[in-house]
mmCIF file of all heavy atoms in Angstrom:
data_model
loop_
_atom_site.group_PDB
_atom_site.id
_atom_site.type_symbol
_atom_site.label_atom_id
_atom_site.label_comp_id
_atom_site.label_asym_id
_atom_site.label_seq_id
_atom_site.Cartn_x
_atom_site.Cartn_y
_atom_site.Cartn_z
ATOM 1 N N MET T 3 -12.365 -51.118 363.842
ATOM 2 C CA MET T 3 -11.540 -49.913 363.706
ATOM 3 C C MET T 3 -10.291 -50.186 362.885
ATOM 4 O O MET T 3 -9.265 -49.508 363.046
ATOM 5 C CB MET T 3 -11.232 -49.308 365.078
ATOM 6 C CG MET T 3 -12.422 -48.858 365.838
ATOM 7 S SD MET T 3 -12.048 -48.025 367.406
ATOM 8 C CE MET T 3 -11.434 -46.438 366.771
ATOM 9 N N GLY T 4 -10.313 -51.231 362.060
ATOM 10 C CA GLY T 4 -9.125 -51.526 361.228
ATOM 11 C C GLY T 4 -7.949 -52.148 361.941
ATOM 12 O O GLY T 4 -6.860 -52.198 361.413
ATOM 13 N N ILE T 5 -8.163 -52.636 363.174
ATOM 14 C CA ILE T 5 -7.100 -53.219 363.926
ATOM 15 C C ILE T 5 -6.852 -54.668 363.489
ATOM 16 O O ILE T 5 -7.739 -55.511 363.494
ATOM 17 C CB ILE T 5 -7.379 -53.177 365.456
ATOM 18 C CG1 ILE T 5 -7.504 -51.736 365.898
ATOM 19 C CG2 ILE T 5 -6.326 -53.916 366.240
ATOM 20 C CD1 ILE T 5 -7.990 -51.626 367.363
ATOM 21 N N LEU T 6 -5.580 -54.991 363.147
ATOM 22 C CA LEU T 6 -5.226 -56.339 362.719
ATOM 23 C C LEU T 6 -4.590 -57.130 363.847
ATOM 24 O O LEU T 6 -4.497 -58.351 363.786
ATOM 25 C CB LEU T 6 -4.255 -56.281 361.549
ATOM 26 C CG LEU T 6 -4.736 -55.544 360.294
ATOM 27 C CD1 LEU T 6 -3.688 -55.559 359.187
ATOM 28 C CD2 LEU T 6 -6.037 -56.145 359.782
ATOM 29 N N GLY T 7 -4.186 -56.402 364.909
ATOM 30 C CA GLY T 7 -3.587 -57.085 366.077
ATOM 31 C C GLY T 7 -2.221 -56.459 366.438
ATOM 32 O O GLY T 7 -1.701 -55.608 365.733
ATOM 33 N N LEU T 8 -1.639 -56.950 367.507
ATOM 34 C CA LEU T 8 -0.274 -56.537 367.850
ATOM 35 C C LEU T 8 0.694 -57.211 366.881
ATOM 36 O O LEU T 8 0.414 -58.219 366.266
ATOM 37 C CB LEU T 8 0.037 -56.979 369.294
ATOM 38 C CG LEU T 8 -0.816 -56.471 370.415
ATOM 39 C CD1 LEU T 8 -0.303 -56.986 371.751
ATOM 40 C CD2 LEU T 8 -0.810 -54.969 370.461
ATOM 41 N N VAL T 9 1.880 -56.587 366.771
ATOM 42 C CA VAL T 9 2.931 -57.211 365.917
ATOM 43 C C VAL T 9 3.173 -58.644 366.362
ATOM 44 O O VAL T 9 3.294 -59.564 365.517
ATOM 45 C CB VAL T 9 4.247 -56.395 365.975
ATOM 46 C CG1 VAL T 9 5.366 -57.123 365.280
ATOM 47 C CG2 VAL T 9 4.005 -55.009 365.347
ATOM 48 N N ALA T 10 3.209 -58.893 367.679
ATOM 49 C CA ALA T 10 3.450 -60.245 368.209
ATOM 50 C C ALA T 10 2.342 -61.217 367.796
ATOM 51 O O ALA T 10 2.553 -62.398 367.756
ATOM 52 C CB ALA T 10 3.570 -60.176 369.720
ATOM 53 N N ASP T 11 1.118 -60.669 367.503
ATOM 54 C CA ASP T 11 0.017 -61.530 367.153
ATOM 55 C C ASP T 11 0.072 -61.933 365.676
ATOM 56 O O ASP T 11 -0.458 -62.995 365.287
ATOM 57 C CB ASP T 11 -1.330 -60.814 367.395
ATOM 58 C CG ASP T 11 -1.554 -60.543 368.853
ATOM 59 O OD1 ASP T 11 -1.072 -61.311 369.698
ATOM 60 O OD2 ASP T 11 -2.206 -59.529 369.213
ATOM 61 N N VAL T 12 0.659 -61.089 364.822
ATOM 62 C CA VAL T 12 0.554 -61.271 363.384
ATOM 63 C C VAL T 12 1.813 -61.874 362.755
ATOM 64 O O VAL T 12 1.831 -62.128 361.530
ATOM 65 C CB VAL T 12 0.174 -59.971 362.673
ATOM 66 C CG1 VAL T 12 -1.189 -59.448 363.168
ATOM 67 C CG2 VAL T 12 1.233 -58.903 362.847
ATOM 68 N N VAL T 13 2.886 -62.014 363.506
ATOM 69 C CA VAL T 13 4.102 -62.636 362.992
ATOM 70 C C VAL T 13 4.500 -63.856 363.855
ATOM 71 O O VAL T 13 4.141 -63.899 365.029
ATOM 72 C CB VAL T 13 5.280 -61.620 362.945
ATOM 73 C CG1 VAL T 13 4.931 -60.410 362.077
ATOM 74 C CG2 VAL T 13 5.713 -61.191 364.314
ATOM 75 N N SER T 14 5.237 -64.761 363.274
ATOM 76 C CA SER T 14 5.733 -65.890 363.996
ATOM 77 C C SER T 14 7.016 -66.381 363.332
ATOM 78 O O SER T 14 7.346 -65.965 362.239
ATOM 79 C CB SER T 14 4.701 -67.014 364.031
ATOM 80 O OG SER T 14 4.397 -67.453 362.717
ATOM 81 N N THR T 15 7.737 -67.272 364.023
ATOM 82 C CA THR T 15 8.973 -67.805 363.506
ATOM 83 C C THR T 15 9.203 -69.191 364.092
ATOM 84 O O THR T 15 8.405 -69.649 364.875
ATOM 85 C CB THR T 15 10.127 -66.839 363.797
ATOM 86 O OG1 THR T 15 11.302 -67.323 363.123
ATOM 87 C CG2 THR T 15 10.432 -66.752 365.292
ATOM 88 N N SER T 16 10.281 -69.809 363.733
ATOM 89 C CA SER T 16 10.616 -71.116 364.323
ATOM 90 C C SER T 16 11.208 -70.905 365.679
ATOM 91 O O SER T 16 11.755 -69.826 366.014
ATOM 92 C CB SER T 16 11.626 -71.828 363.404
ATOM 93 O OG SER T 16 12.810 -71.092 363.340
ATOM 94 N N PRO T 17 11.124 -71.921 366.547
ATOM 95 C CA PRO T 17 11.645 -71.816 367.920
ATOM 96 C C PRO T 17 13.083 -71.324 367.958
ATOM 97 O O PRO T 17 13.496 -70.600 368.883
ATOM 98 C CB PRO T 17 11.493 -73.204 368.499
ATOM 99 C CG PRO T 17 10.328 -73.795 367.781
ATOM 100 C CD PRO T 17 10.425 -73.213 366.354
ATOM 101 N N ARG T 18 13.912 -71.737 366.992
ATOM 102 C CA ARG T 18 15.296 -71.375 366.996
ATOM 103 C C ARG T 18 15.520 -69.879 366.951
ATOM 104 O O ARG T 18 16.496 -69.360 367.537
ATOM 105 C CB ARG T 18 16.011 -72.028 365.796
ATOM 106 C CG ARG T 18 17.525 -71.762 365.779
ATOM 107 C CD ARG T 18 18.175 -72.281 364.525
ATOM 108 N NE ARG T 18 19.604 -72.220 364.620
ATOM 109 C CZ ARG T 18 20.436 -72.391 363.587
ATOM 110 N NH1 ARG T 18 19.959 -72.594 362.376
ATOM 111 N NH2 ARG T 18 21.754 -72.283 363.759
ATOM 112 N N TYR T 19 14.654 -69.128 366.239
ATOM 113 C CA TYR T 19 14.887 -67.697 366.033
ATOM 114 C C TYR T 19 14.021 -66.791 366.910
ATOM 115 O O TYR T 19 14.050 -65.596 366.778
ATOM 116 C CB TYR T 19 14.637 -67.364 364.558
ATOM 117 C CG TYR T 19 15.655 -68.021 363.640
ATOM 118 C CD1 TYR T 19 15.199 -68.983 362.711
ATOM 119 C CD2 TYR T 19 16.994 -67.701 363.647
ATOM 120 C CE1 TYR T 19 16.078 -69.592 361.861
ATOM 121 C CE2 TYR T 19 17.859 -68.339 362.790
ATOM 122 C CZ TYR T 19 17.428 -69.258 361.903
ATOM 123 O OH TYR T 19 18.337 -69.906 361.081
#
Side-chain angles (χ1 to χ4, degrees):
M3 297 185 73
I5 297 174
L6 302 180
L8 301 180
V9 172
D11 296 330
V12 298
V13 302
S14 60
T15 187
S16 62
R18 185 186 188 194
Y19 296 114

